[in-house]
C-alpha cells in the first residue's frame, strides 16, 4: 500500500495550440484551488481520447476535476450541428472526458465539474446545450464582461438561488449568493439522472448533481476556483470535494 498524505485529484487537460505546437494544458487557477482549498495533490491527465487508459486513471484517482476551458463541447454529442464555426472546439478533450465521467461515476470516484466540465457532465448523461444562451429567448447574456482584466472578467455578475434541501444548499449554507459568469453555452435539456441544484435569475440551471452517484458528484456553471480562499461559498465547494477525496483515499 502506498501512503498518501493528501488525495490525488486528476484534472482533465485541454488540447491547445501554443506557438504552433500542441500542448496538453490546464489552468493554474484550478491547480491552485485544488492544492490550497481542497488540500489535494493536482495531477493533469492528457486529452488522449480513446487512447486514455481509463482503468489506470481510475485506480490512481482519489477525485477528478473537470475544469473550464475556452473551447465548447462539440454539438454532435447532443445531435446538433455547429451553430458558430468561429468558436473553438476540442474533440480530443470531449472524447477523453465523456468516457472518464462514466468510468468515475461507476467506480465511485468523487467528481467536480466547472463550467465546461458542468456541460460535459450534462452531455454525458444525455442532456443537450444551448449553443448561444445570449441568443436564446428568455435568457440573459451570461458571457464575461468585455475587459482584459481577470478581476473584472471573474467578478460577481449575478445571483444563483440554491434548491432548498439540496446538496449545494447544504454545502454552502446559502439560499442564494453571487457568482461570476463566463459562458456562452448552457443547459437546454437536463440529462437523465441529473438533478438541478441552483438556478440563475433567468431560470438557467447553474448547478447539478448526479442523483445516484456513490460519492460526491457536483458541477457548477460558474468558476468557484477564482479567488476561492476569499469567497466562502466557493471555498465550501472545494472543501467538500476535498473531504470526499480524502474519504476515498482512506478507504483504499
Amino acid at each position: 500500500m502506498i501512503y498518501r498524505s493528501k488525495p490525488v485529484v486528476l484534472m482533465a487537460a485541454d488540447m491547445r495550440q501554443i506557438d504552433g505546437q500542441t500542448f496538453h494544458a490546464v489552468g493554474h487557477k484550478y491547480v491552485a484551488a485544488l492544492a490550497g482549498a481542497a488540500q489535494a495533490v493536482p495531477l493533469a491527465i492528457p486529452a488522449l481520447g480513446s487512447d486514455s487508459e481509463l482503468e489506470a486513471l481510475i485506480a490512481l484517482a482519489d477525485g477528478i476535476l473537470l475544469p473550464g476551458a475556452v473551447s465548447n463541447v462539440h454539438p454532435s454529442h447532443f445531435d446538433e450541428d455547429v451553430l458558430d464555426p468561429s468558436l473553438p472546439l476540442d474533440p480530443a478533450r470531449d472524447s477523453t472526458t465523456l468516457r472518464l465521467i462514466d468510468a468515475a461515476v461507476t467506480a465511485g470516484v468523487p467528481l467536480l465539474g466547472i463550467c465546461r466540465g458542468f456541460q460535459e457532465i450534462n452531455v454525458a448523461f444525455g442532456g443537450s446545450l444551448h449553443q448561444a444562451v445570449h441568443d436564446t429567448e428568455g435568457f440573459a447574456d451570461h458571457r464575461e464582461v468585455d475587459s482584459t482584466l481577470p478581476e473584472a472578467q471573474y467578478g460577481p455578475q449575478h445571483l444563483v438561488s440554491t434548491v432548498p434541501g439540496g446538496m449545494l444548499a447544504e454545502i454552502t449554507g446559502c439560499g442564494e449568493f453571487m457568482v461570476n459568469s463566463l459562458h456562452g453555452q448552457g443547459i437546454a435539456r437536463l440529462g437523465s439522472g441529473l438533478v438541478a441544484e441552483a438556478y440563475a435569475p433567468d431560470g438557467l440551471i447553474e448547478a447539478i448533481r448526479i442523483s445516484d452517484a456513490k460519492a460526491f458528484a457536483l458541477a457548477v456553471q460558474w468558476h468557484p476556483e477564482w479567488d476561492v480562499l476569499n469567497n466562502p461559498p466557493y471555498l465550501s465547494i472545494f472543501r467538500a470535494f476535498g473531504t470526499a477525496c480524502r474519504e476515498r483515499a482512506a478507504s483504499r
Side-chain angles (χ1 to χ4, degrees):
M1 178 182 293
I2 299 175
Y3 173 73
R4 297 176 180 173
S5 60
K6 293 183 178 180
V8 172
V9 175
L10 306 186
M11 298 178 298
D14 305 323
M15 186 81 85
R16 300 285 297 276
Q17 296 296 315
I18 304 174
D19 294 332
Q21 297 191 53
T22 303
F23 287 78
H24 297 268
V26 296
H28 172 70
K29 63 185 187 295
Y30 301 104
V31 174
L34 283 176
Q39 290 293 294
V41 177
L43 183 62
I45 59 172
L48 294 177
S50 60
D51 291 331
S52 298
E53 296 290 342
L54 290 184
E55 282 193 24
L57 293 175
I58 293 299
L60 180 62
D62 297 315
I64 293 174
L65 173 68
L66 304 174
V70 297
S71 63
N72 290 324
V73 178
H74 199 290
S76 63
H77 293 294
F78 46 95
D79 300 321
E80 291 186 13
D81 296 326
V82 175
L83 181 65
D84 185 352
S86 71
L87 297 178
L89 299 167
D90 190 346
R93 170 159 167 168
D94 292 344
S95 59
T96 302
T97 55
L98 295 180
R99 295 170 63 241
L100 186 61
I101 290 165
D102 180 67
V105 173
T106 299
V109 178
L111 182 65
L112 175 61
I114 294 174
C115 199
R116 190 193 209 271
F118 165 90
Q119 296 166 7
E120 287 169 337
I121 290 174
N122 188 57
V123 171
F125 278 79
S128 66
L129 303 174
H130 295 298
Q131 293 188 53
V133 173
H134 46 284
D135 289 332
T136 304
E137 186 176 356
F139 292 111
D141 190 340
H142 287 254
R143 294 173 296 180
E144 64 268 28
V145 298
D146 186 13
S147 174
T148 59
L149 298 175
E151 293 80 5
Q153 292 177 333
Y154 287 88
Q157 295 298 320
H158 65 75
L159 281 168
V160 293
S161 299
T162 59
V163 174
M167 178 182 180
L168 186 62
E170 181 179 355
I171 287 172
T172 62
C174 298
E176 60 181 22
F177 53 92
M178 292 293 292
V179 299
N180 50 44
S181 189
L182 297 92
H183 60 102
Q185 298 198 135
I187 288 181
R189 182 183 68 252
L190 186 64
S192 176
L194 301 180
V195 177
E197 287 282 329
Y199 293 88
D202 59 6
L204 192 68
I205 296 174
E206 287 277 336
I208 55 176
R209 66 177 170 87
I210 301 172
S211 62
D212 61 352
K214 304 171 188 175
F216 182 104
L218 181 71
V220 299
Q221 181 63 86
W222 68 91
H223 287 265
E225 80 284 356
W226 179 258
D227 197 27
V228 62
L229 296 179
N230 295 310
N231 190 311
Y234 293 7
L235 181 58
S236 66
I237 293 170
F238 272 90
R239 283 183 170 168
F241 178 57
T243 296
C245 295
R246 281 186 288 278
E247 289 174 352
R248 173 172 167 80
S251 69
R252 298 204 289 154

